[in-house]
Amino acid sequence: MSAALGLKAKPIANEPAHDDSDISALINRLTAEVNQIAVDKTKAIQQITNQMKMLALNALIESSRAGAQGAGFAVVAQEVRGVGQQVETIARELESQLTKRTGDLVASIDRMSQRSRGERMVDLSLNAIELIDRNLYERTCDVRWWATDSALVGCAASPDAAAVSHASQRLGVILGAYTVYLDLWLCDLDGNVIANGRADRFRAVGQNVAHTKWFREAKTLRSGDDYVAGDVENQPLLGNAQVATYCASVRAGGQANGAPIGVLAIHFDWEAQARAIVQGVRVGDSDKARVLLVDSNLRVIAASDGQGILSERISLSLNGQRSGFYQDGSGTLVAFHATPGYETYRGLGWYGVIVCGA
């Protein structure tokens, strides 16, 4: 079991963030140049036809002055005038059609670029939430495994001074190897903390946690194979640090079907680990992106800009979808992906979200 994140992002996270926009910008520029050339050339044709019509008009005037001798020349001048008008009409139609076609092309390229960008942000949202899922799956394995440790089982069964000291020592050894935890608590069935791994930092022993949601749920676990995954919260007994608490029941004899004799609560150092994930998502500077993790209530539990954590709720238009992207009324691109779960960890209904400035 890994002691830290130790998880690598999918290849999509390592691709250059600006390729799509560069290609789109190049095509848009070339299309605009073609459009400008077409406009310039049709204007040049129109100028020439205007000159032809003026010459034809002058020729008609001169032929009328010449009387009968200029009659044949008048016919030619009239034909030249007619050809000039036809050329002018064709040039105008060409300009109108080319402008419309190039405009349609630019609009189509913009739509494809936006779609490509949106799909990439959805992939990055999935990438972020998957990293959390894989990491928290390990936490569920840790708590169920450590709840069978003989020192913890013995202390929960008979919490005398020697047993408490031994259990605290064992918890301290675990913490020395697993740097992603702030503290580990062994609680009795009344919610009293009877041992912890960092007694020198956190005065948790003797405190009662029976009122917490995670402890109440842990007391009702049916076997040692089950676990509780608590909401991300500020824990007052840990200096008000942001933690995700995972629990398993300590059972008689360390057996999964043994009678419950205590609860092991492990406090995942949420802020540091989550910040590493959201700040590690490879969005480009031009995206002006804010990367978020939100819980099932759409409460922000991690943010790449460090703002609104545990206090902000975002408005997310899911429309019954687990993943997708859209532009809101201000033109902001919003991409999201629901937690897919990992192995036996089903996830908690969280989302990875990326909000890109307009």
Side-chain angles (χ1 to χ4, degrees), residues 10 60 79 157 285 332 339 349 356:
K10 285 184 174 181
L60 284 172
E79 287 298 321
D285 292 338
T332 298
T339 171
C356 299

Side-chain angles (χ1 to χ4, degrees), residues 126-143:
L126 171 60
N127 189 242
I129 200 68
E130 271 192 322
L131 285 174
I132 282 293
D133 273 352
R134 295 180 188 187
N135 193 269
L136 297 185
Y137 163 70
E138 292 191 3
R139 311 296 61 95
T140 70
C141 295
D142 290 346
V143 70

Side-chain angles (χ1 to χ4, degrees), residues 80-234:
V80 170
R81 186 179 186 182
V83 169
Q85 289 175 336
Q86 290 177 8
V87 172
E88 182 180 24
T89 300
I90 292 171
R92 285 176 178 171
E93 290 176 350
L94 176 63
E95 179 181 12
S96 175
Q97 291 176 8
L98 277 175
T99 301
K100 183 180 184 303
R101 295 294 189 277
T102 53
D104 290 345
L105 178 59
V106 169
S108 178
I109 292 167
D110 284 342
R111 287 193 297 271
M112 288 190 295
S113 177
Q114 285 296 322
R115 182 170 185 82
S116 176
R117 184 188 185 207
E119 289 175 346
R120 181 173 182 275
M121 292 304 166
V122 171
D123 285 340
L124 290 173
S125 299
L126 171 60
N127 189 242
I129 200 68
E130 271 192 322
L131 285 174
I132 282 293
D133 273 352
R134 295 180 188 187
N135 193 269
L136 297 185
Y137 163 70
E138 292 191 3
R139 311 296 61 95
T140 70
C141 295
D142 290 346
V143 70
R144 287 176 288 177
W145 171 32
W146 298 336
T148 66
D149 186 283
S150 60
L152 303 187
V153 173
C155 183
S158 180
D160 57 41
V164 168
S165 177
H166 184 39
S168 297
Q169 182 183 24
R170 286 290 299 151
L171 293 174
V173 169
I174 293 171
L175 286 170
Y178 286 76
T179 58
V180 296
Y181 295 105
L182 280 178
D183 205 3
L184 312 178
W185 297 348
L186 177 62
C187 308
D188 64 21
L189 293 179
D190 293 323
N192 298 306
V193 180
I194 57 178
N196 73 318
R198 290 197 170 120
D200 57 331
R201 287 182 57 188
F202 305 116
R203 297 183 179 276
V205 172
Q207 301 292 329
N208 187 277
V209 294
H211 63 283
T212 63
K213 181 183 176 183
W214 49 262
F215 181 82
R216 293 196 305 270
E217 292 179 355
K219 280 190 65 175
T220 66
L221 292 174
R222 291 177 297 178
S223 77
D225 295 326
D226 299 320
Y227 64 88
V228 169
D231 295 329
V232 178
E233 63 179 1
N234 293 112

Side-chain angles (χ1 to χ4, degrees), residues 275 278-279 289-292 300 302-309 312:
R275 181 174 62 246
V278 293
Q279 291 185 348
R290 186 185 187 207
V291 183
L292 307 171
V300 174
S304 58
D305 61 0
Q307 302 299 309
I309 300 173
E312 176 186 358

